[in-house]
Amino acid sequence: MAINWYHYASPATFHPLAGRLAAAFAWLAAALTAAGLWIGFVVAPTDATQGEAYRIIFIHVPTAWMAMFIYLVMAFWSALALGFNTRLSAMMAQSLAPTGALMALLALWTGAFWGRPTWGTYWAWDARMTSTLILLFLYLGVIALRNAIDDPRRADKACAVLTLVGAVNVPIIYFSVRWWNTLHQGASVSLTSAPKMATIMLTGMLVMTFACWFWCIAVALWRVQAIILERERGAGWVAALPAVRET
Amino acid sequence: MKARHRRFAWILVGLAALGVAVALVLNAFRSHLVFFFSPSQVIANEAPVGRPFRIGGLVQVGSIVRDTGSLTVRFVVTDTAKDVPVTYTGLLPDLFKEGKGVVAQGTLGPDGVFRATEVLAKHDENYMPPEAAAAIEQAHKGGQAKTLSR
Amino acid sequence: MAEFFAMGGYGWYVWMSYGACAVVVVGEALSVRARRRRALEDARLAAVDAPSRGAGAMP
């Protein structure tokens, strides 16, 4: 069955669809968070080396993965926006930036509160942490650039270029623990080797990752609804929305 | 020059500036973000001289000597090829243990002893319950006993 | 229960991590909702300013 992508690429058709999708993803995220926290705090045993402090992994790794992944998704939408000049792709990229920034912030924050009891410090300028901090600043840079340019279509282009150039940082973060001597340990989970975690711990981490992922989708869809309304303010379909007519 | 051309020129200038910034960041990574040096590098004089640096490796088993009456501790950092003795006064992180990873910041004295001002623990990427860790330990010891008796 | 919250002596670190995440999730949801309401309000004002355009575009 062929999907008419151009149909869904129209803000007018996507606005109601985004609302329904966001609600579904938010419920899924809530259910998975409950399951993930149950596994992480009740079912999963304590860690042999780190004791209970390791339980931060169930929130640290999902937020760190999301911080990197959202940047790649943002780069994907930016490339589409630049290449095909599609309005909705640019709005998706615009919507993802604040969520990505918050995920990067949470990854750094939870990492600090995990590093203090295990390594003995909240912060160190090693390659993994420094490149994650650069990721946060890239997100903030994209948001700042967006706000600095009045014309939304020009802001789309400028932000897309900055996003694509900054994308080089993502592989640097991912491989930093292999390329350089870092305080941060290597990857426990990768595509190329067996996980270096007990199965139940890994399960908890993956469930929390999906919870985090679905939450990010939900909140980004809600935000893109607001962005569509902001940018299509004068359009007839916006004026005809029940929520606009009745208020 | 048309407005379109001028905009294109600005984008090129911006891209060039960003490229330079990225190159600078990458260079910084290569030259300054070596977080620590291994004992082999230190012995081979690859570590910076005259300024503090970090040394990283494993705490040699049986090398920890705690001063009675003070917080001074001496231990040996090894990468299994070369060893560097370290002295440090202060509180140690919970995960500082014999045979485990450590990163110490400080300066190398003329006597070859590394005087640390900060000691961090570097743990590995393995997570398992204590029973599993004990079982692995047991299997490891059993294996060693077997090779010894042979 | 107290033992659970103590997290083997690591309670401060564990709960500061999870607490920050809870704050961010709630904060982001509230800020997005506020932004949507603001956008709807602005759209309503725009529709009032140009009623003919708003009505005319609909079939």
Side-chain angles (χ1 to χ4, degrees), chain B:
Chain B
M1 205 153 82
K2 275 192 227 158
R4 192 153 46 93
H5 293 152
R6 198 162 52 232
R7 201 159 58 234
F8 188 68
W10 271 116
I11 289 173
L12 277 185
V13 169
L15 274 177
L18 277 165
V20 171
V22 168
L24 284 174
V25 167
L26 285 174
N27 188 47
F29 267 112
R30 215 179 37 226
S31 54
H32 302 295
L33 275 172
V34 175
F35 193 70
F36 60 80
F37 295 86
S38 68
S40 293
Q41 286 174 304
V42 173
I43 300 286
N45 292 322
E46 284 172 27
V49 183
R51 69 176 172 91
F53 65 95
R54 293 189 194 84
I55 184 170
L58 299 172
V59 181
Q60 195 164 66
V61 175
S63 73
I64 302 179
V65 180
R66 282 170 210 274
D67 232 30
T68 44
S70 81
L71 283 171
T72 301
V73 60
R74 280 171 291 145
F75 56 93
V76 173
V77 174
T78 178
D79 57 5
T80 68
K82 292 283 195 303
D83 307 333
V84 171
V86 176
T87 117
Y88 171 69
T89 304
L91 292 169
L92 290 161
D94 293 359
L95 264 59
F96 178 86
K97 283 197 184 83
E98 288 184 347
K100 299 288 181 190
V102 68
V103 176
Q105 178 162 29
T107 47
L108 191 64
D111 52 354
V113 175
F114 189 85
R115 282 167 186 80
T117 53
E118 185 185 36
V119 171
L120 303 176
K122 178 172 160 60
H123 63 80
D124 60 25
E125 61 272 29
N126 300 308
Y127 302 92
M128 63 183 93
E131 303 82 51
I136 288 172
E137 180 96 341
Q138 207 59 43
H140 195 66
K141 273 189 192 148
Q144 265 183 343
K146 244 179 263 169
T147 40
L148 282 176
S149 65
R150 206 177 286 153

Side-chain angles (χ1 to χ4, degrees), chain A residues 166-201:
Chain A
V168 70
N169 187 42
V170 174
I172 291 179
I173 298 174
Y174 187 79
F175 291 109
S176 57
V177 289
R178 270 195 244 169
W179 291 345
W180 295 284
N181 284 339
T182 53
L183 182 60
H184 197 287
Q185 65 281 7
S188 297
V189 182
S190 74
L191 295 175
T192 48
S193 62
K196 301 181 179 78
M197 291 175 81
T199 311
I200 188 67
M201 297 174 177

Side-chain angles (χ1 to χ4, degrees), chain A residues 108 123 126-136 138 169-170 172-174 176 180, chain B residues 29 33:
Chain A
L108 291 166
W123 180 260
D126 91 336
R128 171 56 70 84
M129 290 166 237
T130 308
S131 53
T132 307
L133 187 65
I134 291 175
L135 181 73
L136 174 62
L138 278 171
N169 187 42
V170 174
I172 291 179
I173 298 174
Y174 187 79
S176 57
W180 295 284
Chain B
F29 267 112
L33 275 172

Side-chain angles (χ1 to χ4, degrees), chain A residues 39-154:
Chain A
I39 297 172
F41 280 99
V42 181
V43 184
T46 189
D47 179 62
T49 319
Q50 304 187 12
E52 307 297 336
Y54 98 96
R55 294 190 195 277
I56 296 172
I57 201 174
F58 299 115
I59 197 71
H60 174 71
V61 173
T63 52
W65 278 348
M66 277 307 119
M68 291 189 280
F69 180 65
I70 288 174
Y71 198 93
L72 293 180
V73 177
M74 199 169 84
F76 166 78
W77 289 119
S78 296
L80 273 190
L82 269 188
F84 298 99
N85 206 21
T86 42
R87 282 176 303 163
L88 190 60
S89 327
M91 293 184 202
M92 283 304 295
Q94 181 186 351
S95 172
L96 283 166
T99 302
L102 285 172
M103 285 298 135
L105 182 70
L106 283 180
L108 291 166
W109 178 275
T110 56
F113 278 93
W114 193 6
R116 183 71 188 104
T118 54
W119 301 332
T121 183
Y122 283 104
W123 180 260
W125 289 101
D126 91 336
R128 171 56 70 84
M129 290 166 237
T130 308
S131 53
T132 307
L133 187 65
I134 291 175
L135 181 73
L136 174 62
F137 281 114
L138 278 171
Y139 278 122
L140 296 179
V142 170
I143 296 168
L145 188 61
R146 161 79 52 190
N147 291 323
I149 303 174
D150 287 332
D151 177 11
R153 303 290 280 158
R154 285 183 63 196

